[in-house]
Amino acid sequence: MAQIKHSPGLTLQFLSVLITGLALMLWIQTVDAQSCNGLSHHFYYKSCPKAQAIIKSVVEDAVRKEARMAASLLRLHFHDCFVKGCDGSILLDDTSSFTGEKTANPNKNSVRGFGVVDQIKCELEKACPGVVSCADILAVAARDSVGFSGGPFWKVLLGRRDSRSASKSGANNDIPGPNSTHQTLETKFKRQGLNVVDLVALSGAHTIGLARCSSFKARLYNQTVNGKPDPTLDTTYLKQLRAVCPQTGTDDNQTTPLDPVTPIKFDIDYYDNVVAGKGLLASDEILYSTKGSRTVGLVESYSTSTHAFFKQFAASMIKMGNINPLTGSHGEIRKNCRRMN
């Protein structure tokens, strides 16, 4: 029987086709995974083709007027998704017969940007009445806020619907606090289907924005109830923070930048600060001070590579934005983000 000889060229061509086929299969699986929860990049292409442009325009104007607003809108999306999923529940106002999430401890006198969301919704209702959800507004506004601050871009999966309920207890229990232990942070992220990589990457959102003295004051004076400051704090930074937040006789609502180096620029200085003992919140510094934890290496990695941080931050934001969305006939499309229809 004659032997069939294979030329090197044909072998390479066959391998190329095989690899391409495998890559296509993986891509299809990824698309299916992204679409299985009812979300799609193209959700409003026909029903409201200018939706993202409208959101972007309002966000751009708001951030131009007040750079801090970028962090505020990003935080709204985070606090929304960690309570019952990304369903716009954080936007609902309290009424005589309804208790929302705005007065929960992590949100009270803290979350902001509701006026910007109202403005976005107003413009969208003019263009496409009853089409774009408040939950999707938060997801796109968060992405655009990061972009206008110099951060990465990602395609937002759309099609979320708005909840007809809220959970104050969920907000109190599920949103990670500024003094959370390392284990608490991991547990609360895992509860949302997020892992340690997501924890460290999403914590990088603290590269922009401000924090109140009440969020970190204990670190400055009595971290372990022994009358001493947090030993992981850089001593020079400690003095600077004490000048902003004296132990007595000051308003604990006084704010200071989460990133004192580039407070309105989305970059890797947050991680540089944490490595140097200058993470503002205990929940920031603990990512690096917990020796032996995987978070230490991730902080070091992102502190030296903008590309690595931006790539993972975008991936983790997409993942977070997929937490338990309401789709199909579930929920509603609110006409006013502050109240149910």
Side-chain angles (χ1 to χ4, degrees):
M1 182 180 293
Q3 292 184 339
I4 300 174
K5 295 183 179 180
H6 299 282
S7 71
L10 287 173
T11 301
L12 289 173
Q13 186 178 11
F14 171 76
L15 288 173
S16 176
V17 171
L18 179 61
I19 292 171
T20 301
L22 289 172
L24 180 59
M25 288 174 64
L26 288 172
W27 179 81
I28 291 172
Q29 290 174 355
T30 300
V31 171
D32 286 344
Q34 291 178 340
S35 302
C36 68
N37 56 10
L39 304 183
S40 166
H41 297 131
H42 314 295
F43 192 82
Y44 297 116
Y45 271 22
K46 292 183 178 180
S47 59
C48 193
K50 295 183 179 180
Q52 294 199 55
I54 291 171
I55 297 172
K56 182 177 181 179
S57 176
V58 177
V59 170
E60 181 178 23
D61 184 59
V63 173
R64 184 169 54 244
K65 290 177 180 176
E66 183 194 12
R68 180 189 177 191
M69 187 54 66
S72 299
L73 293 172
L74 175 57
R75 190 162 178 251
L76 269 181
H77 183 43
F78 183 96
H79 281 219
D80 181 42
C81 290
F82 264 66
V83 183
K84 304 191 321 81
C86 308
D87 60 2
S89 59
I90 194 173
L91 302 173
L92 293 169
D93 285 342
D94 286 4
T95 68
S96 58
S97 59
F98 176 82
T99 301
E101 299 164 12
K102 291 182 178 180
T103 56
N105 292 330
N107 298 332
K108 188 177 181 180
N109 300 321
S110 178
V111 289
R112 56 198 298 275
F114 300 110
V116 176
V117 175
D118 291 340
Q119 186 179 353
I120 293 171
K121 184 60 174 173
C122 180
E123 295 301 318
L124 286 170
E125 286 299 300
K126 292 177 184 177
C128 338
V131 174
V132 182
S133 70
C134 302
D136 275 348
I137 289 174
L138 291 181
V140 177
R143 188 271 312 278
D144 291 342
S145 293
V146 170
F148 288 129
S149 302
F153 174 89
W154 61 92
K155 289 185 177 181
V156 178
L157 289 162
L158 301 166
R160 301 167 190 80
R161 289 171 64 85
D162 301 319
S163 70
R164 294 184 53 80
S165 64
S167 177
K168 184 176 180 178
S169 62
N172 282 325
N173 295 326
D174 294 336
I175 297 174
N179 294 305
S180 296
T181 64
H182 196 281
Q183 184 58 54
T184 297
L185 289 173
E186 285 198 41
T187 298
K188 290 192 174 183
F189 271 71
K190 185 177 181 180
R191 193 180 295 163
Q192 307 299 336
L194 302 172
N195 58 31
V196 172
V197 176
D198 301 313
L199 164 61
V200 178
L202 292 174
S203 294
H206 288 170
T207 183
I208 55 176
L210 306 175
R212 295 177 298 163
C213 289
S214 58
S215 298
F216 59 86
K217 193 172 181 178
R219 299 188 71 204
L220 311 183
Y221 302 100
N222 194 23
Q223 174 70 0
T224 55
V225 198
N226 61 0
K228 296 181 180 181
D230 186 341
T232 65
L233 261 175
D234 174 81
T235 54
T236 300
Y237 189 43
L238 172 62
K239 292 178 181 178
Q240 294 171 351
L241 293 176
R242 282 181 166 180
V244 176
C245 306
Q247 189 167 13
T248 59
T250 186
D251 180 7
D252 280 352
N253 286 318
Q254 178 72 28
T255 59
T256 194
L258 286 157
D259 173 5
V261 181
T262 52
I264 61 174
K265 183 181 179 183
F266 201 95
D267 56 23
I268 60 174
D269 281 346
Y270 163 81
Y271 296 103
D272 288 332
N273 296 336
V274 170
V275 169
K278 297 179 180 180
L280 180 62
L281 306 180
S283 58
D284 292 327
E285 196 59 48
I286 206 167
L287 298 177
Y288 190 69
S289 63
T290 306
K291 301 307 178 185
S293 169
R294 186 183 176 194
T295 60
V296 175
L298 290 166
V299 169
E300 291 176 340
S301 173
Y302 298 150
S303 73
T304 60
S305 174
T306 297
H307 174 75
F309 168 47
F310 278 16
K311 181 179 180 181
Q312 185 56 55
F313 184 82
S316 294
M317 284 295 292
I318 293 171
K319 189 175 177 181
M320 185 186 77
N322 289 350
I323 298 174
N324 298 327
L326 297 174
T327 58
S329 60
H330 298 285
E332 65 182 14
I333 304 298
R334 291 186 211 137
K335 297 177 182 179
N336 182 328
C337 292
R338 293 176 180 265
R339 58 177 180 265
M340 292 171 275
N341 294 341

